């Protein structure tokens, strides 16, 4: 059965008319491209700093990556802290944790200040394994996360309805409704004079002392600085491009009796990734949200992966099998070669174009943190201590070279494929694959997605497929 393609977050937010698309030309101090969590939080910070800001969104607010997440706002990002400690040192792990914890506090403050009802709930977060051979790995992660300043500990009691071999548990984390949150932020932005346009696709960007953005309808926007908050950047220098890769995963959700709902937020890399959380569903029920089956965009067998995820949820989570599956959707994440985001100047020669990408599945807390860093870049304010850690211009360590080479070899294969029936992406000509669960054409190289009729669903491509 095909995924609906429409997430619970998009369907359950209050209905509202789209903000008008931009028609004609205009100018601003800063243009933010993308109205997800990075874009709108950056616009908010810049507006508060006195900058004239325009936000351009190709679709609807939170209609892209942010609106298709699982809505976890946590500092525990899988098994990241031990890797950070080994590769970059204990101070780097601490700085990363500080940035995430600050983001959680920032979201809480925004909800309180603006009176946003975003279903914000405090919950513990767990990274677990079922494999006894990985227990030492879990214990090392718990120690590294605790040393980085999180309230982390190795545990075996998680509240899941099945036993685990070991887990890292972190108290005081958050989950929320991302679209409700961003709609509240958007309303506040408009009230403070930010020009926000939905259904306005940027098709070209030329950098200079006067940056020029060309719109799909033919208009031009001029700005001193541009922030590309578009998941995979609209424009991406080769040095950055070669260090990015993409993964999609499916999400299914069903309302269960709250007595069956696990209390925390959970993730494991076992079984091709499994993520579990709940959300309020009213009348004594909780929406059980299950994600997993990560795959490269355009890979074969997407429908099989979706069915496998649903089978697991029905078998492992009480109540799921008895509840009709109300929503099916998919999320897409950009990963970097070293596991750290890219936030800052696009490449060494760039003066006025900034990117925020590569959050590796943890874009909600990282997105809020990125907004604060980007604003510091653009206003000259003191930059956070973790600025260099996520600088897109950072050096490629020798240990990462083999992985980057493997990735680029795979990408080259998609370009060189000679299948006569292959469709080509209008971004850079990579051969597309068909997702038989969502009925979409997908680019495994850079993540562009197209409807069956060729319409652009997700960039960086800006032109529809040719017949």
């Amino acid at each position: 059965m095909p995924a609906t393609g429409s997430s619970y977050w998009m369907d359950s937010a209050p209905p509202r008319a789209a903000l008008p698309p931009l028609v004609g030309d205009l100018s601003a101090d800063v243009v933010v491209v993308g109205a997800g969590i990075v874009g709108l939080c950056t616009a908010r910070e810049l507006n508060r700093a006195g900058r004239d800001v325009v936000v351009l969104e190709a679709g609807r607010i939170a209609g892209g990556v942010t609106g298709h997440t699982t809505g976890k706002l946590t500092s525990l990002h899988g098994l990241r802290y031990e890797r950070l400690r080994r590769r970059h040192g204990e101070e780097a792990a601490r700085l990363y944790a500080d940035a995430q914890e600050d983001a959680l506090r920032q979201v809480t403050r925004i909800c309180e200040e603006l009176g946003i009802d975003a279903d914000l709930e405090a919950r513990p977060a767990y990274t677990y394994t079922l494999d006894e051979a990985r227990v030492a790995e879990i214990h090392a992660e718990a120690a590294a996360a605790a040393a980085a300043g999180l309230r982390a500990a190795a545990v075996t009691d998680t509240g899941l309805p099945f036993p685990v071999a070991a887990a890292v548990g972190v108290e005081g984390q958050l989950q929320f409704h991302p679209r409700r949150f961003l709609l509240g932020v958007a309303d506040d932005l408009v009230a403070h004079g930010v020009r926000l346009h939905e259904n306005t696709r940027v098709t070209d960007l030329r950098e200079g002392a006067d940056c020029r953005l060309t719109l799909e309808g033919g208009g031009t926007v001029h700005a001193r600085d541009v922030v590309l908050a578009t998941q995979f950047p609209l424009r991406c220098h080769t040095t950055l491009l070669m260090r990015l890769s993409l993964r999609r995963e499916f999400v299914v959700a069903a309302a269960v009796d709250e007595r069956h709902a696990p209390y925390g937020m959970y993730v494991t890399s076992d079984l091709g990734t499994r993520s579990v959380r709940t959300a309020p569903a009213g009348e004594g029920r909780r929406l059980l949200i299950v994600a997993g089956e990560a795959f490269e965009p355009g890979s074969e067998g997407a429908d099989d992966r979706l069915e496998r995820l649903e089978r697991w949820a029905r078998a492992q989570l009480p109540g799921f099998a008895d509840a009709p599956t109300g929503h099916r959707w998919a999320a897409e994440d950009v990963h970097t070669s070293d596991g750290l985001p890219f936030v800052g100047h696009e490449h060494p020669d760039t003066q006025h174009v900034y990117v925020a990408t590569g959050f590796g599945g943890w874009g909600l807390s990282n997105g809020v943190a990125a907004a604060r860093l980007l604003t510091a870049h653009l206003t000259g304010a003191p930059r956070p201590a973790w600025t260099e850690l996520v600088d897109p211009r950072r050096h490629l360590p020798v240990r990462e070279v083999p992985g980057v080479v493997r990735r680029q070899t795979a990408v080259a294969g998609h370009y060189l494929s000679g299948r006569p029936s292959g469709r080509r992406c209008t971004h850079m000509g990579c051969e597309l694959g068909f997702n038989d669960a969502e009925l979409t054409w997908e680019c495994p190289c850079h993540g562009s997605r197209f409807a069956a009729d060729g319409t652009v669903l997700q960039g960086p491509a800006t032109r529809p497929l040719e017949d």
Side-chain angles (χ1 to χ4, degrees):
M1 181 181 295
T4 65
S6 180
S7 77
Y8 170 75
W9 313 122
M10 298 302 294
D11 290 345
S12 62
R16 57 185 288 158
L19 294 169
L22 176 59
V23 177
D25 304 337
L26 57 74
S27 61
D29 294 336
V30 183
V31 172
V32 176
V33 184
I37 196 158
V38 176
L40 292 192
C41 287
T42 300
R44 184 178 189 275
E45 297 275 348
L46 289 169
N47 174 258
R48 296 298 193 271
R51 298 301 189 270
D52 177 28
V53 183
V54 169
V55 180
L56 305 177
E57 167 56 50
R60 301 297 305 275
I61 292 168
V65 173
T66 301
H68 290 81
T69 65
T70 56
K72 295 178 181 177
L73 194 64
T74 171
S75 301
L76 182 63
H77 296 170
L79 298 175
R80 181 158 298 189
Y81 289 98
E82 172 60 10
R83 182 181 182 187
L84 277 172
R85 186 198 65 78
R86 284 188 287 105
R87 294 191 172 188
H88 303 279
E90 290 187 358
E91 178 66 7
R94 185 188 65 78
L95 292 174
Y96 185 87
D98 286 349
Q100 311 310 312
E101 290 287 280
D102 181 68
L104 271 62
R105 292 189 292 270
Q106 177 73 348
V107 169
T108 301
R109 283 194 295 266
I110 291 173
C111 287
E112 292 173 349
E113 176 187 333
L114 303 183
I116 300 173
D117 181 7
D119 290 340
L120 191 66
E121 298 178 308
R123 291 288 189 274
Y126 298 93
T127 297
Y128 71 92
T129 185
L130 306 173
D131 186 353
E132 293 289 345
R134 299 187 65 194
V135 169
E137 185 180 5
I138 291 290
H139 280 252
E141 178 66 18
L150 301 183
R151 289 186 288 167
V155 299
T156 54
D157 184 4
T158 65
L160 283 168
F162 49 83
V164 304
V168 183
V170 175
E171 298 293 330
Q173 305 302 285
L174 300 173
Q175 57 187 25
F176 74 152
H177 192 303
R179 180 160 161 84
R180 286 185 186 172
F181 173 72
L182 288 185
L183 289 177
V185 172
D187 288 342
D188 182 67
L189 288 174
V190 172
H192 281 82
V194 172
R195 291 166 286 177
L196 203 166
H197 297 277
E198 295 181 287
N199 298 313
T200 303
R201 185 179 298 279
V202 176
T203 59
D204 190 35
L205 165 61
R206 295 186 181 182
E207 185 192 5
D210 174 28
C211 294
R212 290 184 296 166
L213 298 93
T214 303
L215 307 182
E216 191 171 52
T220 302
V221 181
H222 297 263
R224 173 178 172 79
D225 296 298
V226 176
V227 173
L228 297 178
T230 55
Q231 174 77 342
F232 205 99
L234 170 70
R235 190 188 79 170
C236 196
H237 192 269
T238 302
T239 57
L240 192 64
L241 195 68
M242 65 188 295
R243 300 180 68 180
L244 299 176
S245 60
L246 297 114
R247 288 290 182 273
R248 285 184 73 75
E249 66 179 21
F250 287 113
V251 188
V252 295
V256 304
D257 190 301
E258 63 183 0
R259 293 173 298 177
H260 297 316
Y263 185 75
M265 300 176 284
Y266 309 89
V267 69
T268 180
S269 58
D270 296 353
L271 307 171
T273 307
R274 293 289 184 268
S275 168
V276 176
R277 65 153 288 193
T278 66
E283 299 181 352
R285 302 183 75 77
R286 299 282 297 183
L287 189 74
L288 190 50
I289 303 168
V290 184
E293 295 295 323
F295 64 100
E296 181 183 82
S299 298
E300 295 181 353
D303 197 42
D304 292 339
R305 291 184 176 90
L306 177 56
E307 291 183 4
R308 188 158 55 240
L309 181 66
E310 288 193 343
R311 284 198 304 271
W312 182 86
R314 290 194 294 267
Q316 298 294 331
L317 302 172
F320 199 96
D322 302 323
T325 303
H327 289 84
R328 299 176 176 90
W329 71 92
E332 185 164 296
D333 298 303
V334 177
H335 297 255
T336 66
S337 56
D338 64 357
L340 286 167
F342 290 145
V343 183
H345 290 90
E346 181 201 7
H347 64 90
D349 297 327
T350 299
Q351 299 298 318
H352 300 284
V353 177
Y354 299 83
V355 299
T357 188
F359 299 133
W362 304 102
L364 295 179
S365 60
N366 267 310
V368 177
R372 309 200 83 176
L373 173 53
L374 291 167
T375 299
H377 274 295
L378 288 160
T379 62
R383 297 174 190 174
W386 46 276
T387 299
E388 292 185 5
L389 191 65
V390 298
D391 192 331
R393 302 167 296 182
R394 63 184 180 265
H395 176 65
L396 175 66
V398 173
R399 63 175 174 269
E400 292 178 34
V401 171
V404 170
V405 170
R406 286 194 299 271
R407 163 67 183 158
Q408 292 309 305
T409 300
V411 168
H414 293 300
Y415 283 112
L416 297 174
S417 175
R419 290 185 292 179
S421 60
R423 301 196 75 161
R424 296 285 173 178
C425 181
T426 58
H427 173 230
M428 294 181 68
C430 182
E431 186 176 40
L432 302 173
F434 190 68
N435 180 327
D436 60 359
E438 298 178 88
L439 306 182
T440 53
W441 292 97
E442 298 175 349
C443 175
C445 298
H446 309 122
S448 297
R449 300 178 63 244
F450 304 85
D453 65 1
T455 305
V456 177
L457 297 176
Q458 180 176 321
T462 61
R463 292 180 290 110
L465 296 177
E466 299 176 358
D467 294 332

